[in-house]
Amino acid sequence: MTSSSSGEESPSNVGGEKGAQVTASDHGVGASDGFTFEKETWATSNGLTLDSFKPRDYGEGLTELDRKMKPRHLHMIAIGGSIGAGFFVGSGGAFYKGGPGSVLIDFLIIGVMMFNVVFALGELAVMFPVSGGFYTYSTRFIDPSWGFAMGWNYVFQWAAVLPLELTVCAITIGYWNDTISPAAWITIFLVAIIVINIFGALGYAEEEFWSSVLKLGATVAFMFIALILVCGGGPSSGKYSEYQGAKLWYEGQGAFKNGFKGFCSVFVTAAFSFSGTELVGLAAAEARNPAQSLPGAIKQVFWRITLFYILGLFFVGLLVSADDPRLLSESSYSDAKASPFVLAAEYSGLKGFNHFMNTIILVSVLSIGVSAVYGGSRTLTAMAQTGYAPKIFSYVDRSGRPLFSVLIIIVLGALGYVNLDADGPVVFDWLLALSGLSTLFTWGSVCMAHIRFRKAWAYHGHTIDEIPFQAVGGVYGSYLGLFLIFIVLVAQFYTAIIAGPNKPGMGTVEGFFKAYLALPVVLVFWAIGYLWKRQGWLRTSQIDIDTARREHDWDEINAYRAKVASWPAWRRLLNKVM
């Protein structure tokens, strides 16, 4: 095997299918027959002509999606792509239920879990950057029936999230003007999402890049300002003109409000806030050179966990009291007026700061809406291509868009209008219940798929050194991730069967299913998948580790490893996680 340059456009077999030499032209769609999206006109390849909606046909095999995403896209999708209402707004309810101590520890636990999940996903995605990501890995390494359940679970998760996020957009606008019907804003933001999706994967990638840049900049600015406010550097017109320190951690019930019950109730908010982090693995299938760009993107998750979640919420906990009645909203997930970030900005006395933070929330929520269409449609298309969904959803047009999959997810976004009805909030509670725990099953499946892959890899005579990008914690990290997911599910089960914080006794049957609806839904789909396909748990000898596995430039990889080995220990450690 000959060595090649590490440049993204240079001929290289990095990122090619096992045994196939891949050239620069393979940055398009299918190398086997020479069809690439670069052969289309610029307007057609970006979805701006009527021809772009025609079906793509380049011979036998699955129609692949275009590989238009660049390293900068993957990096920003990883570091800030899915930060939205759960973090900026939902954290308010978490503070009110559990206090700042519970929020900090719960988010840290979920952060450790996600760190291991994403690194496991990165290892699999570099080896097998296939459309459908985690659904495909569950089918291939665990159980085809479980993969069927995980695929539909993920599709329904995002199908439920889109109308929720559209409604959040409307309510966020209501912070400034609540006289205009939310229907008008839902329509405007739904049209915006449609326009972004006209440009396909590139539209999603660019939107995520710039929105993530804005969220990153805003969060860093917020923390610098928060540090000044905590030290008492705020204007006299606000609450923070005197030293704050950690005094709010000692007021009322203290840092751990409502005790163990409050601590457990924060877990589901923390998990929901991290939802979508796994999209970077899904996007790998549409990256030009995932083997080169994905490892660096995966390492950005460290910064997301420490910078956004841990430090950001730590400062919020120093500025906003957990007993603040404004944190408690009948729809705290979606009411920007209940956002602790907006409240901290409002209480600071800095003119315009609260409006700035509300604008960031609006951008973040719209970004999640775009992610919902991307994540749901790509998974649905992958399922259709393997016979686990209606064949019509396997349609990919000439600009690389999974057209009918995108359309069905967008159409389901119209459920946002249901919230305008008197019974709308009831419907939305159930939509939120459907999406609440779904992501935990997705993450658990990633960890299990990684464990099974490593076992099959060794069974077929391979060594760990033959894996180009290795999860930092290895298989033990995936076991830790699985254990923490189990702990969160147990904590959520506990909060589902008892009354909420500040309420004595047991909960209701309705409350239990609103908290745990995802579990029976997943089990039903698992049963359907088994009855349909009659395939169960895969034995290690049955696991296929070769099909669609990417071949890599090992001369280049070994040279890089030798370079890293020459570094001091502290730098090698940092290189693993950052």
Side-chain angles (χ1 to χ4, degrees), residues 97-103 105 249 253-260 262-263:
K97 293 175 184 176
S102 293
V103 168
I105 293 176
W249 285 52
Q253 296 185 48
F256 296 93
K257 188 177 178 182
N258 296 313
F260 184 70
F263 179 82

Side-chain angles (χ1 to χ4, degrees), residues 453-527:
F453 160 71
R454 282 288 189 95
K455 188 174 181 180
W457 188 252
Y459 176 86
H460 289 286
H462 296 284
T463 65
I464 295 177
D465 288 337
E466 295 176 68
I467 300 174
F469 175 72
Q470 300 166 19
V472 172
V475 70
Y476 300 105
S478 292
Y479 276 118
L480 176 60
L482 270 180
F483 173 74
L484 293 177
I485 289 169
F486 175 75
I487 293 297
V488 173
L489 288 173
V490 170
Q492 182 62 8
F493 183 81
Y494 169 73
T495 59
I497 62 175
I498 62 170
N502 293 321
K503 297 178 182 178
M506 304 297 290
T508 63
V509 174
E510 180 182 351
F512 173 81
F513 280 104
K514 281 184 178 180
Y516 239 73
L517 181 63
L519 177 60
V521 169
V522 166
L523 293 178
V524 167
F525 273 110
W526 191 9

